[in-house]
Amino acid sequence: MRTACLTLLTYLRSALIILLFLGLGKGITALSGLPIPGSIIGLLLLFTALTLRVVNYQTLLPTANLLLRYMTLFFVPVGVGLLQYGDLLSQYWLAIGLSSVIGTFTVLLTTGWVYQRLAK
Amino acid sequence: MIYFYTIATVVVFLLLKKLLAPIRSPLANPLLWSIAFFMLLFSLSHLNFQHYQDANQLFIWLLEPAVVALALPLFNQVTQIRNQLKPILISCSIGVIVAMSSGLAIAYAFTSDKQLLLSLLPKSVTSPIAMAIAQQTGGLASLSAAVVIAVGLLGALCGFSVLKWAKITNLQAQGIAMGCSAHAIGTAKAIETGKEQGAFSSLALVISGILTAVLAPIFAMIIQSL
């Protein structure tokens, strides 16, 4: 019982820290009007806090691991949401389809190739 | 009753994950088949799709803290990142410019609809950045979001196979390529694939997102002058 409570507390604590950084990021986005989402600013702030040892890595692990392990699951409703855009997508399917497919693979291969060349 | 759909999403995803685990093909992707399952369900039945979206707001909301949590894999690899800062920045910058110009050039061959071209511009970055950029440049935010998701799925599905085929075997290079081309969906896949790929993909997601936001107005000006 005691250990269960302690485990719960470690999850609660790590969740609160992550939410705090998300809130900070969102605040900065709202105040600055930058076209960069609060979650990305929150990521950068949390990374900085980890590097400066303001936040302890181990403390964050419970919730962070849970979120990262199931991140793919969170994209299911986002993907199903494509149904709403059926009309829009089918109207321009050739231009959208080709530029997406060819564009994506071009980016994938150029970035991968450039990095591999430079890193060696 | 509405939360039945939340549970259904979890159950279908976990079930498919278990079922597809022994199949060693990139097409055996639980995300792809979960989406296909629900799309078919709502296309073939008279069930209200809006109820599904409402019930699953929780997951869409959880994506934000999940992005913040990407700071951990990044921190884990901080020495490798510091050692490779120059190749990281160069490859991401090239990736961002290639992403916007290649998509633009191909789409322009088919249409000169400026609103469409503007909406396709941020297709390689995570959807909140893409939507903000589309709004700023005069594209359709909803169309951008849809294309972004489709591109992310494509990258998550075929990315690693294409990289292997092209003999890009450096794990860091694979991560950078996934993050630059397929943003958060690609990064989620990279995290499942390996620690190093996951960290470098998170990094590329952040850098390419910011660079795209900075460079998109310049590309928008080019589109306006076409």
Side-chain angles (χ1 to χ4, degrees), chain A residues 26 37 43 57 72 78-79 82 84-85 92 94 98-99 104 107-108 111 115-116, chain B residues 49 64 67 76 84 91 95 110 113 129 146 151 167 169-170 172 177 181 192:
Chain A
K26 288 192 153 201
L43 189 173
Y57 179 79
T72 315
V78 180
L82 279 177
Q84 291 167 290
Y85 305 118
Y92 300 106
L94 195 61
L98 279 182
S99 74
T104 303
V107 179
L108 190 80
T111 35
Y115 185 91
Q116 188 159 272
Chain B
F49 170 66
E64 287 191 323
V67 168
N76 247 334
Q84 304 284 1
S91 53
F110 293 93
D113 183 332
I129 300 189
V151 163
K167 301 211 167 52
T169 47
N170 181 314
Q172 299 174 354
S181 60
E192 284 174 6

PDB file of all heavy atoms in Angstrom, chain A residues 26 37 43 57 72 78-79 82 84-85 92 94 98-99 104 107-108 111 115-116, chain B residues 49 64 67 76 84 91 95 110 113 129 146 151 167 169-170 172 177 181 192:
ATOM      1  N   LYS A  26       3.516  27.527 -23.463  1.00  0.00           N
ATOM      2  CA  LYS A  26       2.299  28.111 -24.037  1.00  0.00           C
ATOM      3  C   LYS A  26       2.196  29.589 -23.700  1.00  0.00           C
ATOM      4  O   LYS A  26       1.768  30.393 -24.533  1.00  0.00           O
ATOM      5  CB  LYS A  26       1.068  27.369 -23.505  1.00  0.00           C
ATOM      6  CG  LYS A  26       0.945  25.995 -24.084  1.00  0.00           C
ATOM      7  CD  LYS A  26      -0.414  25.412 -23.782  1.00  0.00           C
ATOM      8  CE  LYS A  26      -0.757  24.410 -24.852  1.00  0.00           C
ATOM      9  NZ  LYS A  26      -2.154  24.139 -24.968  1.00  0.00           N
ATOM     10  N   PRO A  37       4.729  26.425 -31.648  1.00  0.00           N
ATOM     11  CA  PRO A  37       3.808  25.968 -30.614  1.00  0.00           C
ATOM     12  C   PRO A  37       4.432  25.917 -29.224  1.00  0.00           C
ATOM     13  O   PRO A  37       5.643  25.724 -29.072  1.00  0.00           O
ATOM     14  CB  PRO A  37       3.410  24.572 -31.077  1.00  0.00           C
ATOM     15  CG  PRO A  37       4.390  24.186 -32.100  1.00  0.00           C
ATOM     16  CD  PRO A  37       4.946  25.423 -32.686  1.00  0.00           C
ATOM     17  N   LEU A  43       9.485  21.992 -24.625  1.00  0.00           N
ATOM     18  CA  LEU A  43      10.550  20.990 -24.832  1.00  0.00           C
ATOM     19  C   LEU A  43      11.923  21.649 -24.664  1.00  0.00           C
ATOM     20  O   LEU A  43      12.777  21.142 -23.928  1.00  0.00           O
ATOM     21  CB  LEU A  43      10.410  20.404 -26.240  1.00  0.00           C
ATOM     22  CG  LEU A  43      11.224  19.209 -26.720  1.00  0.00           C
ATOM     23  CD1 LEU A  43      10.727  18.781 -28.082  1.00  0.00           C
ATOM     24  CD2 LEU A  43      12.703  19.424 -26.765  1.00  0.00           C
ATOM     25  N   TYR A  57      16.740  14.340 -13.949  1.00  0.00           N
ATOM     26  CA  TYR A  57      16.320  13.416 -15.008  1.00  0.00           C
ATOM     27  C   TYR A  57      15.468  12.268 -14.451  1.00  0.00           C
ATOM     28  O   TYR A  57      14.396  11.966 -14.964  1.00  0.00           O
ATOM     29  CB  TYR A  57      17.585  12.883 -15.690  1.00  0.00           C
ATOM     30  CG  TYR A  57      17.330  11.893 -16.787  1.00  0.00           C
ATOM     31  CD1 TYR A  57      16.929  12.318 -18.039  1.00  0.00           C
ATOM     32  CD2 TYR A  57      17.525  10.533 -16.576  1.00  0.00           C
ATOM     33  CE1 TYR A  57      16.706  11.416 -19.063  1.00  0.00           C
ATOM     34  CE2 TYR A  57      17.307   9.625 -17.598  1.00  0.00           C
ATOM     35  CZ  TYR A  57      16.902  10.066 -18.836  1.00  0.00           C
ATOM     36  OH  TYR A  57      16.683   9.163 -19.836  1.00  0.00           O
ATOM     37  N   THR A  72       2.669   6.971 -30.183  1.00  0.00           N
ATOM     38  CA  THR A  72       2.066   6.551 -31.461  1.00  0.00           C
ATOM     39  C   THR A  72       0.550   6.396 -31.321  1.00  0.00           C
ATOM     40  O   THR A  72      -0.199   6.762 -32.217  1.00  0.00           O
ATOM     41  CB  THR A  72       2.674   5.212 -31.920  1.00  0.00           C
ATOM     42  OG1 THR A  72       4.076   5.279 -31.741  1.00  0.00           O
ATOM     43  CG2 THR A  72       2.387   4.958 -33.374  1.00  0.00           C
ATOM     44  N   VAL A  78      -5.846  11.529 -34.568  1.00  0.00           N
ATOM     45  CA  VAL A  78      -5.388  12.556 -35.511  1.00  0.00           C
ATOM     46  C   VAL A  78      -5.498  12.015 -36.939  1.00  0.00           C
ATOM     47  O   VAL A  78      -5.986  12.687 -37.844  1.00  0.00           O
ATOM     48  CB  VAL A  78      -3.935  12.972 -35.205  1.00  0.00           C
ATOM     49  CG1 VAL A  78      -3.465  14.033 -36.176  1.00  0.00           C
ATOM     50  CG2 VAL A  78      -3.809  13.489 -33.774  1.00  0.00           C
ATOM     51  N   GLY A  79      -5.061  10.787 -37.116  1.00  0.00           N
ATOM     52  CA  GLY A  79      -5.116  10.155 -38.434  1.00  0.00           C
ATOM     53  C   GLY A  79      -6.540   9.899 -38.892  1.00  0.00           C
ATOM     54  O   GLY A  79      -6.889  10.160 -40.045  1.00  0.00           O
ATOM     55  N   LEU A  82      -8.440  12.603 -40.646  1.00  0.00           N
ATOM     56  CA  LEU A  82      -8.252  12.868 -42.082  1.00  0.00           C
ATOM     57  C   LEU A  82      -9.563  12.705 -42.849  1.00  0.00           C
ATOM     58  O   LEU A  82      -9.750  13.295 -43.906  1.00  0.00           O
ATOM     59  CB  LEU A  82      -7.200  11.923 -42.679  1.00  0.00           C
ATOM     60  CG  LEU A  82      -5.736  12.288 -42.483  1.00  0.00           C
ATOM     61  CD1 LEU A  82      -4.850  11.223 -43.074  1.00  0.00           C
ATOM     62  CD2 LEU A  82      -5.429  13.625 -43.152  1.00  0.00           C
ATOM     63  N   GLN A  84     -12.339  13.949 -42.290  1.00  0.00           N
ATOM     64  CA  GLN A  84     -12.999  15.238 -42.428  1.00  0.00           C
ATOM     65  C   GLN A  84     -12.533  15.994 -43.659  1.00  0.00           C
ATOM     66  O   GLN A  84     -13.226  16.861 -44.163  1.00  0.00           O
ATOM     67  CB  GLN A  84     -12.681  16.125 -41.211  1.00  0.00           C
ATOM     68  CG  GLN A  84     -13.297  15.664 -39.935  1.00  0.00           C
ATOM     69  CD  GLN A  84     -12.671  16.405 -38.774  1.00  0.00           C
ATOM     70  OE1 GLN A  84     -11.509  16.193 -38.449  1.00  0.00           O
ATOM     71  NE2 GLN A  84     -13.423  17.296 -38.159  1.00  0.00           N
ATOM     72  N   TYR A  85     -11.287  15.708 -44.087  1.00  0.00           N
ATOM     73  CA  TYR A  85     -10.701  16.492 -45.168  1.00  0.00           C
ATOM     74  C   TYR A  85     -10.817  15.772 -46.506  1.00  0.00           C
ATOM     75  O   TYR A  85     -10.186  16.162 -47.470  1.00  0.00           O
ATOM     76  CB  TYR A  85      -9.228  16.797 -44.863  1.00  0.00           C
ATOM     77  CG  TYR A  85      -9.032  17.476 -43.540  1.00  0.00           C
ATOM     78  CD1 TYR A  85      -8.286  16.881 -42.524  1.00  0.00           C
ATOM     79  CD2 TYR A  85      -9.586  18.731 -43.306  1.00  0.00           C
ATOM     80  CE1 TYR A  85      -8.107  17.504 -41.309  1.00  0.00           C
ATOM     81  CE2 TYR A  85      -9.414  19.353 -42.093  1.00  0.00           C
ATOM     82  CZ  TYR A  85      -8.682  18.741 -41.095  1.00  0.00           C
ATOM     83  OH  TYR A  85      -8.510  19.365 -39.906  1.00  0.00           O
ATOM     84  N   TYR A  92      -7.763  18.035 -54.970  1.00  0.00           N
ATOM     85  CA  TYR A  92      -6.425  18.329 -55.490  1.00  0.00           C
ATOM     86  C   TYR A  92      -5.507  17.133 -55.324  1.00  0.00           C
ATOM     87  O   TYR A  92      -4.314  17.300 -55.114  1.00  0.00           O
ATOM     88  CB  TYR A  92      -5.814  19.513 -54.735  1.00  0.00           C
ATOM     89  CG  TYR A  92      -6.581  20.792 -54.825  1.00  0.00           C
ATOM     90  CD1 TYR A  92      -7.309  21.248 -53.743  1.00  0.00           C
ATOM     91  CD2 TYR A  92      -6.559  21.560 -55.987  1.00  0.00           C
ATOM     92  CE1 TYR A  92      -8.013  22.439 -53.812  1.00  0.00           C
ATOM     93  CE2 TYR A  92      -7.254  22.749 -56.069  1.00  0.00           C
ATOM     94  CZ  TYR A  92      -7.981  23.185 -54.985  1.00  0.00           C
ATOM     95  OH  TYR A  92      -8.670  24.356 -55.057  1.00  0.00           O
ATOM     96  N   LEU A  94      -3.936  14.906 -56.987  1.00  0.00           N
ATOM     97  CA  LEU A  94      -2.708  14.639 -57.736  1.00  0.00           C
ATOM     98  C   LEU A  94      -1.574  15.565 -57.284  1.00  0.00           C
ATOM     99  O   LEU A  94      -0.465  15.107 -56.981  1.00  0.00           O
ATOM    100  CB  LEU A  94      -2.971  14.807 -59.240  1.00  0.00           C
ATOM    101  CG  LEU A  94      -1.886  14.212 -60.129  1.00  0.00           C
ATOM    102  CD1 LEU A  94      -1.749  12.715 -59.919  1.00  0.00           C
ATOM    103  CD2 LEU A  94      -2.183  14.508 -61.607  1.00  0.00           C
ATOM    104  N   LEU A  98       1.421  13.810 -55.151  1.00  0.00           N
ATOM    105  CA  LEU A  98       2.768  13.738 -55.708  1.00  0.00           C
ATOM    106  C   LEU A  98       3.755  14.605 -54.941  1.00  0.00           C
ATOM    107  O   LEU A  98       4.871  14.179 -54.639  1.00  0.00           O
ATOM    108  CB  LEU A  98       2.757  14.142 -57.184  1.00  0.00           C
ATOM    109  CG  LEU A  98       2.321  13.066 -58.168  1.00  0.00           C
ATOM    110  CD1 LEU A  98       2.402  13.580 -59.580  1.00  0.00           C
ATOM    111  CD2 LEU A  98       3.191  11.824 -58.009  1.00  0.00           C
ATOM    112  N   SER A  99       3.350  15.841 -54.602  1.00  0.00           N
ATOM    113  CA  SER A  99       4.302  16.700 -53.897  1.00  0.00           C
ATOM    114  C   SER A  99       4.587  16.134 -52.508  1.00  0.00           C
ATOM    115  O   SER A  99       5.700  16.240 -52.008  1.00  0.00           O
ATOM    116  CB  SER A  99       3.809  18.143 -53.831  1.00  0.00           C
ATOM    117  OG  SER A  99       2.773  18.274 -52.907  1.00  0.00           O
ATOM    118  N   THR A 104       8.521  14.145 -49.536  1.00  0.00           N
ATOM    119  CA  THR A 104       8.916  13.474 -48.292  1.00  0.00           C
ATOM    120  C   THR A 104      10.159  12.609 -48.499  1.00  0.00           C
ATOM    121  O   THR A 104      11.111  12.668 -47.706  1.00  0.00           O
ATOM    122  CB  THR A 104       7.759  12.611 -47.760  1.00  0.00           C
ATOM    123  OG1 THR A 104       6.624  13.446 -47.587  1.00  0.00           O
ATOM    124  CG2 THR A 104       8.111  11.969 -46.439  1.00  0.00           C
ATOM    125  N   VAL A 107      13.320  14.747 -49.056  1.00  0.00           N
ATOM    126  CA  VAL A 107      13.842  15.297 -47.791  1.00  0.00           C
ATOM    127  C   VAL A 107      14.519  14.202 -46.972  1.00  0.00           C
ATOM    128  O   VAL A 107      15.625  14.377 -46.459  1.00  0.00           O
ATOM    129  CB  VAL A 107      12.708  15.931 -46.956  1.00  0.00           C
ATOM    130  CG1 VAL A 107      13.250  16.467 -45.641  1.00  0.00           C
ATOM    131  CG2 VAL A 107      12.025  17.033 -47.729  1.00  0.00           C
ATOM    132  N   LEU A 108      13.842  13.064 -46.875  1.00  0.00           N
ATOM    133  CA  LEU A 108      14.358  11.936 -46.094  1.00  0.00           C
ATOM    134  C   LEU A 108      15.765  11.568 -46.571  1.00  0.00           C
ATOM    135  O   LEU A 108      16.704  11.446 -45.773  1.00  0.00           O
ATOM    136  CB  LEU A 108      13.409  10.749 -46.265  1.00  0.00           C
ATOM    137  CG  LEU A 108      13.624   9.548 -45.366  1.00  0.00           C
ATOM    138  CD1 LEU A 108      13.012   9.806 -44.008  1.00  0.00           C
ATOM    139  CD2 LEU A 108      12.980   8.311 -45.973  1.00  0.00           C
ATOM    140  N   THR A 111      18.544  14.726 -46.318  1.00  0.00           N
ATOM    141  CA  THR A 111      19.022  14.996 -44.957  1.00  0.00           C
ATOM    142  C   THR A 111      19.847  13.824 -44.435  1.00  0.00           C
ATOM    143  O   THR A 111      20.914  14.023 -43.869  1.00  0.00           O
ATOM    144  CB  THR A 111      17.874  15.274 -43.968  1.00  0.00           C
ATOM    145  OG1 THR A 111      16.773  14.479 -44.326  1.00  0.00           O
ATOM    146  CG2 THR A 111      17.482  16.721 -43.937  1.00  0.00           C
ATOM    147  N   TYR A 115      23.822  14.212 -43.638  1.00  0.00           N
ATOM    148  CA  TYR A 115      24.320  13.989 -42.281  1.00  0.00           C
ATOM    149  C   TYR A 115      25.353  12.869 -42.257  1.00  0.00           C
ATOM    150  O   TYR A 115      26.406  12.979 -41.626  1.00  0.00           O
ATOM    151  CB  TYR A 115      23.170  13.667 -41.322  1.00  0.00           C
ATOM    152  CG  TYR A 115      23.656  13.566 -39.895  1.00  0.00           C
ATOM    153  CD1 TYR A 115      23.676  14.669 -39.068  1.00  0.00           C
ATOM    154  CD2 TYR A 115      24.144  12.363 -39.389  1.00  0.00           C
ATOM    155  CE1 TYR A 115      24.157  14.598 -37.779  1.00  0.00           C
ATOM    156  CE2 TYR A 115      24.636  12.274 -38.103  1.00  0.00           C
ATOM    157  CZ  TYR A 115      24.635  13.394 -37.303  1.00  0.00           C
ATOM    158  OH  TYR A 115      25.129  13.315 -36.034  1.00  0.00           O
ATOM    159  N   GLN A 116      25.049  11.781 -42.970  1.00  0.00           N
ATOM    160  CA  GLN A 116      25.969  10.643 -42.973  1.00  0.00           C
ATOM    161  C   GLN A 116      27.328  11.027 -43.561  1.00  0.00           C
ATOM    162  O   GLN A 116      28.362  10.602 -43.057  1.00  0.00           O
ATOM    163  CB  GLN A 116      25.360   9.484 -43.764  1.00  0.00           C
ATOM    164  CG  GLN A 116      26.157   8.205 -43.660  1.00  0.00           C
ATOM    165  CD  GLN A 116      25.338   6.967 -43.986  1.00  0.00           C
ATOM    166  OE1 GLN A 116      24.695   6.383 -43.145  1.00  0.00           O
ATOM    167  NE2 GLN A 116      25.363   6.581 -45.242  1.00  0.00           N
TER     168      GLN A 116
ATOM    169  N   PHE B  49     -19.258  10.308 -36.613  1.00  0.00           N
ATOM    170  CA  PHE B  49     -17.811  10.485 -36.526  1.00  0.00           C
ATOM    171  C   PHE B  49     -17.433  11.555 -35.503  1.00  0.00           C
ATOM    172  O   PHE B  49     -16.407  11.455 -34.833  1.00  0.00           O
ATOM    173  CB  PHE B  49     -17.278  10.856 -37.916  1.00  0.00           C
ATOM    174  CG  PHE B  49     -15.857  11.289 -37.919  1.00  0.00           C
ATOM    175  CD1 PHE B  49     -14.849  10.399 -37.602  1.00  0.00           C
ATOM    176  CD2 PHE B  49     -15.523  12.600 -38.219  1.00  0.00           C
ATOM    177  CE1 PHE B  49     -13.533  10.798 -37.596  1.00  0.00           C
ATOM    178  CE2 PHE B  49     -14.204  13.009 -38.210  1.00  0.00           C
ATOM    179  CZ  PHE B  49     -13.215  12.105 -37.898  1.00  0.00           C
ATOM    180  N   GLU B  64       0.617  17.104 -26.619  1.00  0.00           N
ATOM    181  CA  GLU B  64       1.409  18.262 -26.202  1.00  0.00           C
ATOM    182  C   GLU B  64       2.415  17.919 -25.092  1.00  0.00           C
ATOM    183  O   GLU B  64       3.605  18.158 -25.267  1.00  0.00           O
ATOM    184  CB  GLU B  64       0.492  19.410 -25.790  1.00  0.00           C
ATOM    185  CG  GLU B  64      -0.166  20.055 -26.987  1.00  0.00           C
ATOM    186  CD  GLU B  64      -0.868  21.352 -26.646  1.00  0.00           C
ATOM    187  OE1 GLU B  64      -1.463  21.446 -25.546  1.00  0.00           O
ATOM    188  OE2 GLU B  64      -0.824  22.278 -27.454  1.00  0.00           O
ATOM    189  N   VAL B  67       5.224  15.863 -26.494  1.00  0.00           N
ATOM    190  CA  VAL B  67       6.265  16.620 -27.195  1.00  0.00           C
ATOM    191  C   VAL B  67       7.236  17.227 -26.171  1.00  0.00           C
ATOM    192  O   VAL B  67       8.450  17.183 -26.356  1.00  0.00           O
ATOM    193  CB  VAL B  67       5.649  17.713 -28.102  1.00  0.00           C
ATOM    194  CG1 VAL B  67       6.702  18.680 -28.595  1.00  0.00           C
ATOM    195  CG2 VAL B  67       4.948  17.062 -29.283  1.00  0.00           C
ATOM    196  N   ASN B  76      19.419  12.720 -22.956  1.00  0.00           N
ATOM    197  CA  ASN B  76      20.171  11.472 -22.898  1.00  0.00           C
ATOM    198  C   ASN B  76      21.349  11.446 -23.857  1.00  0.00           C
ATOM    199  O   ASN B  76      22.352  10.795 -23.618  1.00  0.00           O
ATOM    200  CB  ASN B  76      19.237  10.317 -23.281  1.00  0.00           C
ATOM    201  CG  ASN B  76      18.996   9.411 -22.119  1.00  0.00           C
ATOM    202  OD1 ASN B  76      19.838   9.333 -21.236  1.00  0.00           O
ATOM    203  ND2 ASN B  76      17.873   8.743 -22.106  1.00  0.00           N
ATOM    204  N   GLN B  84      28.215  16.711 -32.581  1.00  0.00           N
ATOM    205  CA  GLN B  84      27.793  16.700 -33.990  1.00  0.00           C
ATOM    206  C   GLN B  84      26.974  17.927 -34.345  1.00  0.00           C
ATOM    207  O   GLN B  84      26.199  17.892 -35.303  1.00  0.00           O
ATOM    208  CB  GLN B  84      26.942  15.444 -34.269  1.00  0.00           C
ATOM    209  CG  GLN B  84      27.606  14.143 -33.938  1.00  0.00           C
ATOM    210  CD  GLN B  84      28.649  13.753 -34.959  1.00  0.00           C
ATOM    211  OE1 GLN B  84      28.895  14.474 -35.926  1.00  0.00           O
ATOM    212  NE2 GLN B  84      29.294  12.630 -34.749  1.00  0.00           N
ATOM    213  N   SER B  91      22.558  19.664 -42.006  1.00  0.00           N
ATOM    214  CA  SER B  91      21.628  18.744 -42.664  1.00  0.00           C
ATOM    215  C   SER B  91      20.180  19.182 -42.445  1.00  0.00           C
ATOM    216  O   SER B  91      19.353  19.057 -43.353  1.00  0.00           O
ATOM    217  CB  SER B  91      21.850  17.306 -42.192  1.00  0.00           C
ATOM    218  OG  SER B  91      21.817  17.226 -40.798  1.00  0.00           O
ATOM    219  N   GLY B  95      17.586  20.181 -45.291  1.00  0.00           N
ATOM    220  CA  GLY B  95      16.316  19.458 -45.293  1.00  0.00           C
ATOM    221  C   GLY B  95      15.119  20.393 -45.383  1.00  0.00           C
ATOM    222  O   GLY B  95      14.194  20.157 -46.156  1.00  0.00           O
ATOM    223  N   PHE B 110       1.346  21.214 -61.358  1.00  0.00           N
ATOM    224  CA  PHE B 110      -0.048  20.811 -61.552  1.00  0.00           C
ATOM    225  C   PHE B 110      -1.041  21.952 -61.374  1.00  0.00           C
ATOM    226  O   PHE B 110      -2.129  21.925 -61.908  1.00  0.00           O
ATOM    227  CB  PHE B 110      -0.414  19.689 -60.571  1.00  0.00           C
ATOM    228  CG  PHE B 110       0.306  18.422 -60.840  1.00  0.00           C
ATOM    229  CD1 PHE B 110       1.499  18.129 -60.194  1.00  0.00           C
ATOM    230  CD2 PHE B 110      -0.200  17.523 -61.749  1.00  0.00           C
ATOM    231  CE1 PHE B 110       2.174  16.959 -60.458  1.00  0.00           C
ATOM    232  CE2 PHE B 110       0.468  16.352 -62.017  1.00  0.00           C
ATOM    233  CZ  PHE B 110       1.657  16.074 -61.375  1.00  0.00           C
ATOM    234  N   ASP B 113      -2.799  27.479 -58.161  1.00  0.00           N
ATOM    235  CA  ASP B 113      -3.660  27.951 -57.074  1.00  0.00           C
ATOM    236  C   ASP B 113      -2.782  28.350 -55.881  1.00  0.00           C
ATOM    237  O   ASP B 113      -2.203  27.503 -55.208  1.00  0.00           O
ATOM    238  CB  ASP B 113      -4.619  26.817 -56.686  1.00  0.00           C
ATOM    239  CG  ASP B 113      -5.611  27.238 -55.605  1.00  0.00           C
ATOM    240  OD1 ASP B 113      -5.273  28.140 -54.806  1.00  0.00           O
ATOM    241  OD2 ASP B 113      -6.703  26.661 -55.559  1.00  0.00           O
ATOM    242  N   ILE B 129       2.803  23.742 -35.764  1.00  0.00           N
ATOM    243  CA  ILE B 129       3.653  24.726 -36.452  1.00  0.00           C
ATOM    244  C   ILE B 129       3.109  24.945 -37.858  1.00  0.00           C
ATOM    245  O   ILE B 129       2.994  26.079 -38.322  1.00  0.00           O
ATOM    246  CB  ILE B 129       5.128  24.256 -36.545  1.00  0.00           C
ATOM    247  CG1 ILE B 129       5.706  24.031 -35.157  1.00  0.00           C
ATOM    248  CG2 ILE B 129       5.990  25.277 -37.288  1.00  0.00           C
ATOM    249  CD1 ILE B 129       7.197  23.784 -35.125  1.00  0.00           C
ATOM    250  N   ALA B 146      -4.050  18.405 -42.658  1.00  0.00           N
ATOM    251  CA  ALA B 146      -4.344  17.108 -43.274  1.00  0.00           C
ATOM    252  C   ALA B 146      -3.117  16.579 -44.018  1.00  0.00           C
ATOM    253  O   ALA B 146      -2.760  15.404 -43.887  1.00  0.00           O
ATOM    254  CB  ALA B 146      -5.526  17.247 -44.235  1.00  0.00           C
ATOM    255  N   VAL B 151       1.715  13.069 -44.613  1.00  0.00           N
ATOM    256  CA  VAL B 151       3.162  12.993 -44.805  1.00  0.00           C
ATOM    257  C   VAL B 151       3.824  12.261 -43.634  1.00  0.00           C
ATOM    258  O   VAL B 151       4.690  11.407 -43.828  1.00  0.00           O
ATOM    259  CB  VAL B 151       3.755  14.419 -44.961  1.00  0.00           C
ATOM    260  CG1 VAL B 151       5.254  14.423 -44.744  1.00  0.00           C
ATOM    261  CG2 VAL B 151       3.429  14.973 -46.337  1.00  0.00           C
ATOM    262  N   LYS B 167      21.139   2.800 -48.199  1.00  0.00           N
ATOM    263  CA  LYS B 167      22.368   2.546 -47.440  1.00  0.00           C
ATOM    264  C   LYS B 167      22.701   3.681 -46.482  1.00  0.00           C
ATOM    265  O   LYS B 167      23.876   3.974 -46.242  1.00  0.00           O
ATOM    266  CB  LYS B 167      23.546   2.277 -48.387  1.00  0.00           C
ATOM    267  CG  LYS B 167      23.300   1.070 -49.292  1.00  0.00           C
ATOM    268  CD  LYS B 167      24.582   0.352 -49.646  1.00  0.00           C
ATOM    269  CE  LYS B 167      24.311  -1.008 -50.264  1.00  0.00           C
ATOM    270  NZ  LYS B 167      23.364  -0.969 -51.403  1.00  0.00           N
ATOM    271  N   THR B 169      22.934   4.052 -43.099  1.00  0.00           N
ATOM    272  CA  THR B 169      22.925   3.135 -41.969  1.00  0.00           C
ATOM    273  C   THR B 169      23.306   3.814 -40.658  1.00  0.00           C
ATOM    274  O   THR B 169      23.095   3.251 -39.597  1.00  0.00           O
ATOM    275  CB  THR B 169      23.913   1.979 -42.226  1.00  0.00           C
ATOM    276  OG1 THR B 169      25.135   2.552 -42.682  1.00  0.00           O
ATOM    277  CG2 THR B 169      23.379   1.021 -43.273  1.00  0.00           C
ATOM    278  N   ASN B 170      23.873   5.009 -40.755  1.00  0.00           N
ATOM    279  CA  ASN B 170      24.227   5.768 -39.553  1.00  0.00           C
ATOM    280  C   ASN B 170      22.947   6.055 -38.755  1.00  0.00           C
ATOM    281  O   ASN B 170      22.000   6.648 -39.280  1.00  0.00           O
ATOM    282  CB  ASN B 170      24.911   7.072 -40.011  1.00  0.00           C
ATOM    283  CG  ASN B 170      25.351   7.925 -38.842  1.00  0.00           C
ATOM    284  OD1 ASN B 170      24.596   8.123 -37.892  1.00  0.00           O
ATOM    285  ND2 ASN B 170      26.554   8.445 -38.912  1.00  0.00           N
ATOM    286  N   GLN B 172      22.276   8.026 -36.286  1.00  0.00           N
ATOM    287  CA  GLN B 172      21.970   9.445 -36.086  1.00  0.00           C
ATOM    288  C   GLN B 172      21.394  10.039 -37.367  1.00  0.00           C
ATOM    289  O   GLN B 172      20.429  10.809 -37.324  1.00  0.00           O
ATOM    290  CB  GLN B 172      23.233  10.194 -35.666  1.00  0.00           C
ATOM    291  CG  GLN B 172      23.805   9.667 -34.359  1.00  0.00           C
ATOM    292  CD  GLN B 172      25.136  10.301 -34.002  1.00  0.00           C
ATOM    293  OE1 GLN B 172      25.710  11.059 -34.777  1.00  0.00           O
ATOM    294  NE2 GLN B 172      25.624  10.012 -32.807  1.00  0.00           N
ATOM    295  N   ALA B 177      16.906  12.314 -40.471  1.00  0.00           N
ATOM    296  CA  ALA B 177      16.075  12.225 -41.675  1.00  0.00           C
ATOM    297  C   ALA B 177      14.600  12.054 -41.316  1.00  0.00           C
ATOM    298  O   ALA B 177      13.730  12.692 -41.901  1.00  0.00           O
ATOM    299  CB  ALA B 177      16.551  11.059 -42.543  1.00  0.00           C
ATOM    300  N   SER B 181      11.721  14.936 -42.138  1.00  0.00           N
ATOM    301  CA  SER B 181      10.733  14.672 -43.181  1.00  0.00           C
ATOM    302  C   SER B 181       9.365  14.317 -42.611  1.00  0.00           C
ATOM    303  O   SER B 181       8.353  14.633 -43.206  1.00  0.00           O
ATOM    304  CB  SER B 181      11.222  13.547 -44.092  1.00  0.00           C
ATOM    305  OG  SER B 181      11.418  12.375 -43.342  1.00  0.00           O
ATOM    306  N   GLU B 192      10.467   4.304 -31.101  1.00  0.00           N
ATOM    307  CA  GLU B 192      10.216   2.863 -30.983  1.00  0.00           C
ATOM    308  C   GLU B 192      11.376   2.057 -31.557  1.00  0.00           C
ATOM    309  O   GLU B 192      11.642   0.949 -31.124  1.00  0.00           O
ATOM    310  CB  GLU B 192       8.942   2.491 -31.742  1.00  0.00           C
ATOM    311  CG  GLU B 192       7.677   2.875 -31.020  1.00  0.00           C
ATOM    312  CD  GLU B 192       6.433   2.632 -31.863  1.00  0.00           C
ATOM    313  OE1 GLU B 192       6.566   2.061 -32.968  1.00  0.00           O
ATOM    314  OE2 GLU B 192       5.360   3.013 -31.427  1.00  0.00           O
TER     315      GLU B 192
END
